[in-house]
Amino acid sequence: MVKNEPLLRADGVGKEFFGVTALSNVDFELLAGEIHALVGENGAGKSTLIKILTGAYRRDRGRVCLDGVAVDPADVKDAQALGIGTVYQEVNLLPNLTVAENLFLGREPKRFGLTDRREANRRSREILDQYGLDIDVAALLGTYSVAVRQIVAIARAVDISGKVLILDEPTASLDAAEVSRLFAILQSLKGRGLGVVFITHFFDQVYRIADRVTILRNGHKVATRPLAGLDRLELVSLMLGRELKAEEEQRAEPPDLATKPVVASFKGLSKRGRIAPFDLEMRAGEVVGVAGLLGAGRTESAELMFGIHQPDHGTIEVDGKPASFSSPRDAISRGFGFCPEDRKQDGIIDDLSVRENIILALQARRGWAKPLSRKEQEAIADRYIAALDIRTSDREKPIKFLSGGNQQKVILARWLATDPRLLILDEPTRGIDVGAHAEIIRLIGELRERGMSLLVISSELEEIVAYATRVRVLADRRHVGELPAGEITADAIMRAIAASENHGAGEAAGQAAAGTRESVA
Amino acid sequence: ADMTVGFSQIGSESGWRAAETTLTKEQAEKRGIDLKFADAQQKQENQIKAIRSFIAQGVDAILLAPVVATGWDQVLEEAKDAEIPVVLLDRQVDSSDDLYLTAVGSDLEHEGEVAGEWLVKEVGDKDCNIVELQGTTGSSPAIKRKAGFEKAISGHDNLKIVRSQTGDFTRTKGKEVMESFLKAENGGKNICALYAHNDDMAVGAIQAIKEAGLKPGSDILVVSIDAVPDIFLAMQNGEANATVELTPNMAGPAFDALDAYLKDGTKPEKFIQTESKLYTQSDDPKSIYEEKKNQGY
Amino acid sequence: MTGPGLSTFRRILPQLVALVVILALNTAIAPGFLDIAYANGRLYGSLIDILNRGAPVALLAIGMTLVIATRGIDLSVGAVMAIAGAVAAALITSDHSLAVTVLATLGVGILCGLWNGALVAFLGIQPIIATLILMVAGRGIAQLVTEGVILTFNDPGLIFIGSGSLASVPFPVILWVFLGIVVSLLFRSTALGLLVEAIGINRRASSLAGIGTSALLLAVYAASGLCAAVAGIVAAADIRGADANNAGLWLELDAILAVVVGGNSLMGGRFSIAGSLIGAMIIQSVNTGILLAGFPPEFNLVIKAAIIVVILVVQSPASHTLFAYFKHRPGRAPDAAPATPPARETGKEAAR
Amino acid sequence: MTSSRLFSLATTFLIFILAYALCIAQFPNMLSTRVIGNLLTDNAFLGIAAVGMTFVILSGGIDLSIGSVIAFTGVFLAVAMGDWGVPPLLAIVLLLAITTVFGAVMGAMIHYLAMPPFIVTLAGMFFARGIAFLISIDSVPIKAGLYDTLHGLYFRMPGGGRLTFIGMAMLAVFLAGILIAHFTSFGRNVYAIGGNRQSAELMGVPIARTTVMIYALSSFLAGLAGIAFSLYTSAGYSLAAVGVELDAIAAVVIGGTLLTGGSGYVAGTLLGILIMGLIQTYIVFDGTLSSWWTKIVIGLLLFAFIALQRGLVWLSARRSGASAAIPA
Ligand SMILES: Nc1ncnc2c1ncn2[C@@H]1O[C@H](COP(=O)(O)OP(=O)(O)OP(=O)(O)O)[C@@H](O)[C@H]1O
Ligand SMILES: Nc1ncnc2c1ncn2[C@@H]1O[C@H](COP(=O)(O)OP(=O)(O)OP(=O)(O)O)[C@@H](O)[C@H]1O
Ligand SMILES: [Mg+2]
Ligand SMILES: [Mg+2]
């Protein structure tokens, strides 16, 4: 393999959106047989760069060469034809098609000129087998969780890519076992001479898999470095343009729960086929971390607690008085808040501005007749834009134009603005960069100290360890255990999960040390 | 007689047609006929479906008020195969006349002619600019009433149609279109007469003329067709001048013909024409209004 | 004007330009088109006619704008107009007072809207079909009330609503302008506007954010029913009779067209009632222009279609991009926008 | 799951059978081959057009122009064969080419100008009928040997019912539609675009080409429906088929296809057509309804069918534990 001629090469690529520069003069080089990490803060321009490389956006300036030949893919189909397979940041498959149809969309196997469904299903099962996914490929993709969809998207991109594979935050909702499988596959693709571009906010993963890293900041390329010999601290400061304050590894002081009032208690909540009955008592000033493998029923539990689904059985008490939630509205009126996992479908109102997205839940709770004045809205928006470091040129910008991580922060801001008594966060740090990640963990601690009761679902055990005052462990749609304040370590959580997984899952849980963004501290 | 008759009506798009339906039902009841009524909502396909269903049900006879002239051959043949006599009401078809028993109706073109002749006589040899409110574009009454009227005024060079636009047979559109006619023709001063393809449009137009500060019936002559009750009120007030009657009682003659045919096979004439009677302000509009008021218009 | 006022103005600027162009065309076709005279205690002229004749569509467009903002559509408004006209005529001819008649009629309109809203919000029936049911049945209900005849009436109060004038302006014009302002104010000075837009863009996320989506949907369809009832009274009063068969026939399409010509997206979200009202006037100007032009009626539809297409093409996002491209960056590769038409589609998945 | 989608199709079928049984209980005559034959023949043109509409709706669009295209077709054929003396087959080929191009142009406007389908096809609706008016405002009879031949093509079923040429043509179009929807790449792309246009685009679906093809197909089938209609009435008339687009939309939706796109079956549309036909037949058999009650009852029956369908689907979702307070 000739290593000196780059497989994919971009020179001086630039892109503006409505006068705002998203990328300026970026050079990028991908060698054959290389795994190349692309890192940068939220809004640095990573997604924009790969959308340009793959024909989803037209570039304003610059050149892109594949195998030394200038290419200009007009759309994704062109890029696919050139052998570039891509997983975009949002899971971009089609929930209304079956798994197999998604895998083979645009390249359906044919027999007698007609699509051959049976063949597609057979090959889909084969492909997914490599990822350890044994699911009904003839079922609609929409019936599966975000994680499954993400694996299917990866599988599709890998299967398409003849030369280049580009993955934009592919591991955001995967657990450790799945990440390991993915990496094994990437290694074998690398061995076959493909070039892989890999975007992530998990530095562990960068070091585990990548050969070189390119760092973007504010639309500029900062550097491209081989990872060997690159110190983590240096990588972080290249990315942020400043030193990251070392985490004051100051574990949450376990509150004396007995003295804290019970905000809400849930007894025997259950829903057939979704989650087995569970009890949970939430007290003011505590953070309950919720851990479990994908599909363990964490989201389901939260949805029952917030009135999104109605439980078959069980009772809810708020402040000692019985309550029943027929919709999220009821829960919100009792001082609940819920930041959902799937921000694109359940979170953002994409045409509304950042300001409107932030004040939406607060306004909804106040009722339509008591509008927040424009001034109040602006004040609230500005406060959270500053507090969460939301990167937007303007608070009136429609949220759909923000980068993925920044959208996530806006949704978080929406709920913080309602100042809830009980806040449920489902994967709040998905897609969030290192700097903001530290910020959010700090924020959770602060909210707790102010007396808020928090339930935080996360796949990142390190993160749970950092903020939880107790940990609820789920497996197989059951609440299987709880770790009190003194016993919270990543290992302990893993063991709790493993102990309850009935078949072969122990091994998976053993590897469940899901990525940490940085082990700088 | 225990007779079942299917009646495929066009729809209920106008007061006139509602009256026709009412009278048909009344006539049927009076004669002890079991009337199966099907409203086609202005759609020929629904009428064909209805006739097919009548045949499937095995009715004794079918009344059909066809929405258009064309396209009936097949279904009429099916009726003939099933030996069910069909009588056409108020409009004609272009099928061969052995496919139906008889047609009861008025001659649409003749109606237009009667209206035109009245106007020719009324204006004498003064110059007269006429504006015309057409019925729904493409409908057979609109086409034929226009043709008949034009026939009547042809050869009278002092009469000229200066504007002609569709008012869709409705009051609202009649009023709106008349407003624009008035604007376009120098505030209405250039217009001497209005010819409307039905009374409803005329009633709407009369309001427009009044609102423009002119006197309908004298500043602008108003002639229209159908003779629905409301036009007689206008005539009584001197706001309309003439109307040509299209009687809604088509079913009476139709049932008579059917009775005779089913009793002893008497074949009626192929076209039973109803009278196209002209009414003017001198015909005691008040009493005609009172008389017509309760006929289901 | 303050910031928001200015941005509203900027938003409806293309519509205003289109309106002016159409009016200019009309002036070219019909000399004296712009003349306004004063006679019989009211203003008189083609421009006034446009404002007056456009009243029913303008009224419908107000409610339709709100419904469309929630990503719905209301096909029943024409039928509701017929029902309202019929009810009003029936009440007034059976000697009820004007106040009772009008209030009861408006009530009936609201009821119709609530029915639609309930089908959409609670049964989850898709708006087109939910309102199609009332579109079909509604005309039947109206005819049931009038028994198929044109119910004429002579009550001067009711007639005033259709053809009276206040301060020499035709009353229907006052009515739609007033209702337009009231509804705009109601939605813009409270949070209703924001909440309605949120539902239209992403109903699921809105519901999760605590917006009472069902109640709002009900309210919006009820508002549409109310507007249709007002339009129905105006239409009936105008001809002094309730024509259940023809009142408002196919007017729902004109209303939808008005909303879209007014720059609102059928995909829901951001809305401007002022834009829709101008859209209604554009459509009425086209209709009036066709009438004034004196072509044979066979040409009406083709001309209307052609003008609408031209207006919409000029307004379409793609031609804006093209325009901006020629204006700002000659010689530059086109922006991403045409390839990914402004991320409208993202909302689609979300709202499913 | 595929099975749950099939379930809603089965539900619709069940509702149809149940409704038919109820009709027969009241009017035993409705169990004749005549009625069944009529159901197919009378709804043939609507069915053919509805297949096209199904594709459009599956892609998340809508086509309001089909009624007008049907009217245009009739007038064009009648005048072309009659006044212009074009041979019938040539006229038909010409016509189908015109309507297909017409649809393609609408599709191109929808895609390239990013205009909503509702409005583009609404303009198309005005335009096509307008052109029909320009060709002829009269109702023009068609007298062509070809038409007589086709009229003669039918199976006589025992009991006097006829399976006519256009009835069979509709069934053939449905078969072709099913094949295209489920066994071609084009069909897959239609579902993909309906599911999420942007995702489809990022997955490499040729949006532009597919959109243009969808509307071209719909207009092509509307042309075919127009031919069926002209066979049905042996005439062309510019006022024909007013509002057929709404009937077609209703049939598609009753057949279980979501107006938001991406989910549904062509076969469901056939059921939708049959259900609507059944409603009509029932009303005619009853024969006691006044004009206004006819409309009200049609509305109520439409509502009953849709509510029943929603109810059954909701119940089954509840049983499988998938109900949600949040509208999905
Ligand atoms: N379609 C668009 N329209 C306008 N601005 C955009 C658009 N897409 C991206 N941007 C802007 O471009 C910048 C870069 O965004 P990009 O999505 O590339 O960031 P990113 O590095 O992928 O961030 P993240 O880690 O949060 O995903 C951001 O400021 C964003 O607001
Ligand atoms: N690896 C897998 N294989 C098969 N099915 C899976 C897998 N992971 C999740 N699922 C399915 O995804 C669905 C959704 O799970 P759910 O979102 O309730 O779990 P969760 O605990 O909230 O997980 P998450 O970590 O994604 O929030 C379930 O129906 C489950 O069967
Ligand atoms: Mg990104
Ligand atoms: Mg989850």
Side-chain angles (χ1 to χ4, degrees):
Chain A
M1 201 135 304
V2 197
K3 281 268 177 172
N4 13 17
E5 174 63 26
L7 178 61
L8 182 70
R9 174 194 180 111
D11 290 318
V13 171
K15 177 79 191 166
E16 285 177 20
F17 294 106
F18 312 108
V20 179
T21 307
L23 276 187
S24 70
N25 202 25
V26 170
D27 302 333
F28 180 76
E29 200 180 82
L30 175 70
L31 302 176
E34 167 188 54
I35 297 181
H36 195 130
L38 188 59
V39 303
E41 285 177 286
N42 293 133
K46 305 179 294 292
S47 300
T48 306
L49 176 61
I50 66 138
K51 283 190 175 161
I52 284 176
L53 293 177
T54 57
Y57 287 164
R58 307 300 300 267
R59 57 185 180 268
D60 294 345
R61 271 175 295 282
R63 255 160 60 90
V64 177
C65 298
L66 183 71
D67 277 332
V69 185
V71 293
D72 188 12
D75 56 29
V76 176
K77 199 172 171 53
D78 284 0
Q80 287 179 3
L82 290 169
I84 305 177
T86 316
V87 176
Y88 295 93
Q89 182 166 13
E90 311 298 340
V91 177
N92 266 314
L93 299 186
L94 294 157
N96 63 318
L97 299 187
T98 67
V99 174
E101 285 167 346
N102 267 289
L103 278 170
F104 286 98
L105 184 65
R107 51 197 190 102
E108 294 84 1
K110 296 267 170 75
R111 246 178 73 186
F112 313 123
L114 297 178
T115 52
D116 186 350
R117 189 178 294 261
R118 202 154 336 127
E119 172 71 5
N121 286 350
R122 191 185 60 74
R123 275 165 53 189
S124 299
R125 273 190 297 273
E126 267 174 32
I127 291 172
L128 292 181
D129 223 31
Q130 300 172 34
Y131 297 82
L133 207 57
D134 180 21
I135 55 175
D136 177 7
V137 293
L140 292 188
L141 186 71
T143 57
Y144 293 106
S145 67
V146 178
V148 173
R149 289 187 228 176
Q150 203 160 47
I151 295 172
V152 176
I154 292 169
R156 174 183 156 88
V158 169
D159 207 46
I160 284 177
S161 57
K163 288 180 178 157
V164 178
L165 173 65
I166 303 182
L167 303 171
D168 192 351
E169 291 194 34
T171 53
S173 32
L174 298 190
D175 69 22
E178 279 145 353
V179 170
S180 297
R181 280 208 192 85
L182 172 63
F183 283 3
I185 289 166
L186 294 188
Q187 291 288 5
S188 83
L189 291 177
K190 173 179 160 178
R192 296 212 319 251
L194 263 76
V196 178
V197 180
F198 184 70
I199 299 178
T200 186
H201 292 292
F202 297 111
F203 284 5
D204 274 7
Q205 296 180 359
V206 172
Y207 278 96
R208 228 169 103 194
I209 188 87
D211 304 308
R212 291 197 298 166
V213 59
T214 290
I215 301 132
L216 292 182
R217 192 194 320 142
N218 275 334
H220 296 269
K221 181 173 124 172
V222 177
T224 298
R225 297 279 190 84
L227 272 161
L230 179 67
D231 176 55
R232 281 189 191 217
L233 275 174
E234 196 185 345
L235 179 56
V236 173
S237 54
L238 278 174
M239 189 176 124
L240 299 183
R242 61 183 158 88
E243 302 279 310
L244 184 68
K245 266 185 293 171
E247 267 314 288
E248 327 91 71
E249 179 63 32
Q250 164 227 64
R251 190 64 76 69
E253 182 91 349
D256 182 4
L257 282 182
T259 68
K260 304 281 184 180
V262 175
V263 174
S265 82
F266 306 87
K267 287 206 182 66
L269 286 197
S270 72
K271 188 164 182 74
R272 237 180 55 206
R274 295 269 167 146
I275 186 82
F278 67 92
D279 295 344
L280 185 59
E281 218 175 54
M282 297 291 301
R283 286 176 189 265
E286 69 166 342
V287 177
V288 179
V290 181
L293 297 183
L294 292 174
R298 297 166 299 176
T299 301
E300 294 296 339
S301 303
E303 286 176 343
L304 290 188
M305 291 162 66
F306 193 63
I308 297 172
H309 294 298
Q310 275 63 51
D312 295 337
H313 297 287
T315 56
I316 302 177
E317 278 180 20
V318 182
D319 296 328
K321 286 188 278 298
S324 88
F325 302 153
S326 62
S327 71
R329 200 173 159 71
D330 295 340
I332 291 166
S333 72
R334 308 302 287 269
F336 286 27
F338 175 69
C339 183
E341 174 181 28
D342 184 346
R343 74 164 163 264
K344 202 170 164 188
Q345 278 202 35
D346 302 342
I348 66 169
I349 315 281
D350 60 11
D351 282 338
L352 293 188
S353 67
V354 172
R355 163 180 61 85
E356 288 164 321
N357 267 286
I358 290 178
I359 58 111
L360 192 67
L362 180 58
Q363 182 64 66
R365 198 178 64 191
R366 286 168 62 113
W368 61 270
K370 293 197 213 90
L372 291 156
S373 74
R374 183 71 179 229
K375 273 222 175 60
E376 289 169 291
Q377 298 187 14
E378 288 175 357
I380 294 169
D382 287 342
R383 185 159 88 237
Y384 286 101
I385 289 173
L388 298 178
D389 191 20
I390 297 171
R391 300 288 168 87
T392 171
S393 55
D394 172 358
R395 71 168 110 72
E396 299 305 323
K397 194 171 185 172
I399 192 173
K400 66 183 172 192
F401 295 137
L402 262 56
S403 78
N406 283 307
Q407 291 178 359
Q408 176 75 24
K409 292 189 216 167
V410 171
I411 305 306
L412 200 55
R414 173 189 296 168
W415 290 106
L416 295 181
T418 65
D419 192 22
R421 294 191 307 150
L422 171 66
L423 180 58
I424 304 171
L425 303 174
D426 196 352
E427 305 281 5
T429 58
R430 226 176 101 185
I432 293 231
D433 70 36
V434 199
H437 185 247
E439 196 56 33
I440 286 173
I441 291 181
R442 201 184 49 71
L443 190 76
I444 289 174
E446 203 179 287
L447 293 172
R448 179 181 67 77
E449 265 154 35
R450 288 219 317 257
M452 195 182 286
S453 175
L454 292 110
L455 184 84
V456 188
I457 301 171
S458 177
S459 301
E460 277 183 67
L461 302 186
E462 299 290 339
E463 174 187 310
I464 293 186
V465 171
Y467 50 61
T469 55
R470 64 188 160 114
V471 173
R472 189 48 80 93
V473 178
L474 272 70
D476 224 4
R477 305 179 174 280
R478 280 177 300 120
H479 289 231
V480 293
E482 187 166 302
L483 303 175
E487 301 171 16
I488 304 176
T489 61
D491 273 352
I493 299 175
M494 272 185 279
R495 259 180 278 114
I497 295 173
S500 55
E501 286 287 317
N502 9 18
H503 51 90
E507 162 218 355
Q511 305 166 333
T516 38
R517 274 153 237 258
E518 29 92 39
S519 347
V520 206
Chain B
D2 246 7
M3 184 157 91
T4 306
V5 175
F7 175 28
S8 170
Q9 175 62 292
I10 295 179
S12 56
E13 73 281 2
S14 67
W16 184 89
R17 198 154 291 286
E20 184 188 40
T21 304
T22 312
L23 285 173
T24 306
K25 285 183 175 169
E26 268 174 20
Q27 291 284 342
E29 202 167 336
K30 213 157 68 188
R31 293 157 202 252
I33 293 172
D34 180 12
L35 191 74
K36 293 260 176 198
F37 175 72
D39 180 308
Q41 331 236 351
Q42 272 77 39
K43 292 186 188 170
Q44 183 181 21
E45 60 269 29
N46 286 354
Q47 291 201 290
I48 297 178
K49 284 177 208 177
I51 295 174
R52 289 228 164 93
S53 292
F54 289 147
I55 297 172
Q57 278 180 77
V59 296
D60 300 307
I62 293 173
L63 299 185
L64 164 65
V67 63
V68 279
T70 50
W72 301 99
D73 294 8
Q74 276 181 72
V75 70
L76 290 182
E77 243 158 58
E78 282 175 38
K80 195 177 174 189
D81 285 351
E83 293 176 357
I84 300 173
V86 176
V87 178
L88 305 176
L89 292 192
D90 81 78
R91 292 191 189 178
Q92 314 281 312
V93 299
D94 69 356
S95 309
S96 103
D97 66 7
D98 59 331
L99 289 180
Y100 54 88
L101 184 66
T102 177
V104 182
S106 103
D107 181 339
L108 294 166
E109 205 166 319
H110 179 61
E111 292 167 359
E113 251 180 288
V114 172
E117 280 159 7
W118 174 82
L119 190 63
V120 168
K121 222 161 65 215
E122 183 73 16
V123 295
D125 32 60
K126 275 183 300 177
D127 277 342
C128 184
N129 286 339
I130 305 165
V131 294
E132 179 183 28
L133 283 170
Q134 300 183 25
T136 306
T137 310
S139 66
S140 62
I143 296 170
K144 291 190 172 154
R145 286 175 180 174
K146 183 174 172 56
F149 185 82
E150 281 170 353
K151 196 160 133 198
I153 63 167
S154 72
H156 301 272
D157 293 339
N158 56 330
L159 275 74
K160 204 169 86 208
I161 298 180
V162 289
R163 284 193 176 253
S164 179
Q165 180 55 268
T166 176
D168 281 342
F169 283 133
T170 68
R171 284 192 192 188
T172 313
K173 284 282 280 179
K175 187 173 181 187
E176 176 177 356
V177 174
M178 191 67 206
E179 274 176 3
S180 74
F181 283 169
L182 291 167
K183 299 283 154 24
E185 297 298 330
N186 192 19
K189 294 187 200 71
N190 292 348
I191 304 173
C192 113
L194 162 71
Y195 166 50
H197 287 187
N198 80 348
D199 291 339
D200 282 336
M201 290 191 291
V203 169
I206 286 169
Q207 287 171 25
I209 297 171
K210 282 200 287 189
E211 282 169 21
L214 296 174
K215 274 223 194 65
S218 43
D219 291 340
I220 295 177
L221 301 176
V222 178
V223 54
S224 53
I225 298 176
D226 272 1
V228 305
D230 282 347
I231 199 75
F232 289 98
L233 276 186
M235 279 204 247
Q236 188 195 338
N237 297 336
E239 294 170 352
N241 302 80
T243 185
V244 181
E245 181 174 49
L246 172 64
T247 173
N249 184 11
M250 305 273 173
F255 285 136
D256 290 342
L258 270 177
D259 274 340
Y261 174 72
L262 292 175
K263 195 151 60 171
D264 48 23
T266 325
K267 294 239 167 143
E269 280 182 60
K270 276 297 164 188
F271 184 47
I272 305 174
Q273 186 171 356
T274 57
E275 196 186 355
S276 298
K277 191 164 171 227
L278 179 79
Y279 288 92
T280 61
Q281 290 177 355
S282 53
D283 287 311
D284 189 10
K286 173 105 184 98
S287 65
I288 300 174
Y289 171 74
E290 293 300 334
E291 178 192 323
K292 288 209 164 222
K293 206 171 62 176
N294 297 319
Q295 291 182 351
Y297 279 101
Chain C
M1 262 197 219
T2 55
L6 198 69
S7 74
T8 313
F9 177 72
R10 207 173 291 145
R11 196 154 160 202
I12 58 179
L13 191 62
Q15 282 71 43
L16 283 173
V17 171
L19 182 59
V20 169
V21 171
I22 299 282
L23 292 179
L25 267 177
N26 283 356
T27 317
I29 291 167
F33 174 78
L34 296 176
D35 296 353
I36 291 181
Y38 180 83
N40 308 328
R42 62 165 270 201
L43 294 170
Y44 189 72
S46 290
L47 283 179
I48 303 296
D49 278 356
I50 290 177
L51 291 174
N52 193 26
R53 287 288 141 225
V57 172
L59 287 165
L60 294 183
I62 295 171
M64 189 68 80
T65 309
L66 300 175
V67 171
I68 286 179
T70 64
R71 191 187 277 245
I73 203 153
D74 189 348
L75 293 184
S76 74
V77 289
V80 174
M81 271 180 76
I83 297 178
V87 169
L91 287 177
I92 206 82
T93 49
S94 51
D95 294 328
H96 290 277
S97 72
L98 181 63
V100 169
T101 302
V102 170
L103 287 179
T105 307
L106 297 184
V108 168
I110 291 176
L111 269 182
C112 291
L114 287 176
W115 160 263
N116 286 331
L119 295 194
V120 173
F122 298 126
L123 293 191
I125 299 177
Q126 310 176 56
I128 288 199
I129 292 300
T131 56
L132 181 68
I133 292 171
L134 191 57
M135 178 186 181
V136 174
R139 210 158 279 285
I141 295 171
Q143 290 177 342
L144 187 66
V145 175
T146 64
E147 294 179 316
V149 308
I150 300 183
L151 258 187
T152 34
F153 49 81
N154 286 308
D155 182 85
L158 193 55
I159 289 173
F160 179 84
I161 296 178
S163 44
S165 54
L166 211 64
S168 69
V169 178
F171 191 67
V173 180
I174 295 180
L175 213 51
W176 71 255
V177 172
F178 175 76
L179 198 65
I181 293 175
V182 166
V183 174
S184 295
L185 278 183
L186 178 67
F187 278 75
R188 289 306 172 194
S189 68
T190 67
L192 276 178
L194 174 68
L195 301 184
V196 162
E197 287 175 351
I199 302 187
I201 299 165
N202 188 343
R203 181 164 164 203
R204 202 178 141 79
S206 301
S207 167
L208 283 173
I211 299 177
T213 51
S214 301
L216 262 182
L217 282 174
L218 273 183
V220 160
Y221 282 90
S224 179
L226 176 73
C227 290
V230 177
I233 296 176
V234 168
D238 180 38
I239 57 165
R240 301 161 188 224
D243 184 351
N245 310 294
N246 300 302
L249 196 62
W250 301 119
L251 235 47
E252 50 278 347
L253 294 183
D254 271 2
I256 295 166
L257 207 55
V259 173
V260 174
V261 168
N264 296 293
S265 163
L266 280 173
M267 302 296 285
R270 299 289 192 196
F271 68 90
S272 154
I273 288 177
S276 298
L277 291 177
I278 296 175
M281 290 307 116
I282 291 177
I283 289 174
Q284 187 57 42
S285 305
V286 172
N287 289 341
T288 304
I290 289 173
L291 292 183
L292 289 175
F295 290 121
E298 297 91 281
F299 285 88
N300 292 4
L301 281 177
V302 175
I303 297 173
K304 190 169 171 178
I307 295 179
I308 290 168
V309 165
V310 170
I311 294 176
L312 289 171
V313 165
V314 171
Q315 279 184 17
S316 77
S319 29
H320 277 201
T321 324
L322 215 63
F323 178 69
Y325 161 62
F326 282 123
K327 193 168 158 199
H328 298 301
R329 317 196 139 251
R332 195 196 82 162
D335 202 273
T340 19
R344 266 240 132 272
E345 294 72 24
T346 41
K348 158 160 225 172
E349 178 198 38
R352 266 294 325 118
Chain D
M1 231 172 291
T2 322
S3 60
S4 87
R5 283 192 295 174
L6 282 172
F7 174 81
S8 83
L9 198 62
T11 309
T12 315
F13 183 66
L14 205 78
I15 293 174
F16 171 69
I17 294 295
L18 215 83
Y20 200 3
L22 283 177
C23 289
I24 292 169
Q26 195 178 348
F27 304 108
N29 268 356
M30 273 186 77
L31 186 62
S32 71
T33 54
R34 262 183 204 275
V35 172
I36 294 167
N38 288 353
L39 218 47
L40 294 178
T41 308
D42 292 337
N43 295 296
F45 76 98
L46 182 60
I48 294 172
V51 172
M53 184 68 91
T54 311
F55 281 93
V56 173
I57 290 182
L58 278 175
S59 79
I62 200 154
D63 187 351
L64 297 182
S65 72
I66 59 176
S68 297
V69 171
I70 291 174
F72 165 79
T73 300
V75 175
F76 177 88
L77 288 179
V79 173
M81 294 180 204
D83 298 0
W84 305 339
V86 183
L89 274 177
L90 182 63
I92 287 176
V93 170
L94 219 61
L95 176 272
L96 289 176
I98 293 174
T99 60
T100 308
V101 169
F102 177 73
V105 169
M106 291 197 297
M109 287 177 70
I110 290 165
H111 178 78
Y112 291 107
L113 298 177
M115 283 161 65
F118 193 99
I119 292 301
V120 172
T121 58
L122 182 63
M125 160 178 159
F126 291 153
F127 190 76
R129 203 173 288 280
I131 296 291
F133 279 142
L134 290 187
I135 297 178
S136 169
I137 55 171
D138 292 311
S139 73
V140 189
I142 297 178
K143 296 195 167 52
L146 178 67
Y147 273 53
D148 296 334
T149 316
L150 294 181
H151 284 149
L153 277 183
Y154 58 81
F155 290 124
R156 189 178 279 281
M157 296 184 279
R162 292 177 184 185
L163 187 52
T164 56
F165 173 72
I166 56 172
M168 292 185 283
M170 172 180 79
L171 293 178
V173 168
F174 266 101
L175 270 180
I178 291 171
L179 218 62
I180 293 174
H182 302 293
F183 296 97
T184 64
S185 302
F186 169 73
R188 212 71 358 260
N189 291 344
V190 171
Y191 278 87
I193 293 179
N196 185 326
R197 226 193 90 154
Q198 212 178 26
S199 295
E201 190 171 7
L202 289 180
M203 289 170 80
V205 171
I207 308 279
R209 186 162 49 113
T210 310
T211 307
V212 170
M213 278 171 69
I214 288 167
Y215 288 88
L217 175 68
S218 174
S219 287
F220 169 80
L221 287 175
L224 219 52
I227 295 173
F229 192 78
S230 72
L231 270 166
Y232 186 54
T233 61
S234 300
Y237 184 37
S238 48
L239 280 180
V242 172
V244 161
E245 48 280 346
L246 291 178
D247 291 341
I249 294 170
V252 171
V253 171
I254 291 177
T257 299
L258 290 181
L259 272 169
T260 37
S263 165
Y265 286 104
V266 175
T269 302
L270 180 58
L271 287 176
I273 293 280
L274 292 178
I275 287 176
M276 305 241 306
L278 192 67
I279 292 179
Q280 290 244 338
T281 311
Y282 173 80
I283 285 174
V284 174
F285 264 77
D286 181 72
T288 58
L289 297 176
S290 64
S291 298
W292 27 100
W293 276 110
T294 304
K295 292 180 180 135
I296 298 174
V297 169
I298 290 178
L300 285 178
L301 289 178
L302 209 59
F303 169 70
F305 275 110
I306 295 170
L308 201 64
Q309 208 178 29
R310 299 267 343 156
L312 285 177
V313 169
W314 180 77
L315 270 181
S316 82
R318 224 175 98 93
R319 250 187 331 145
S320 70
S323 89
I326 308 299

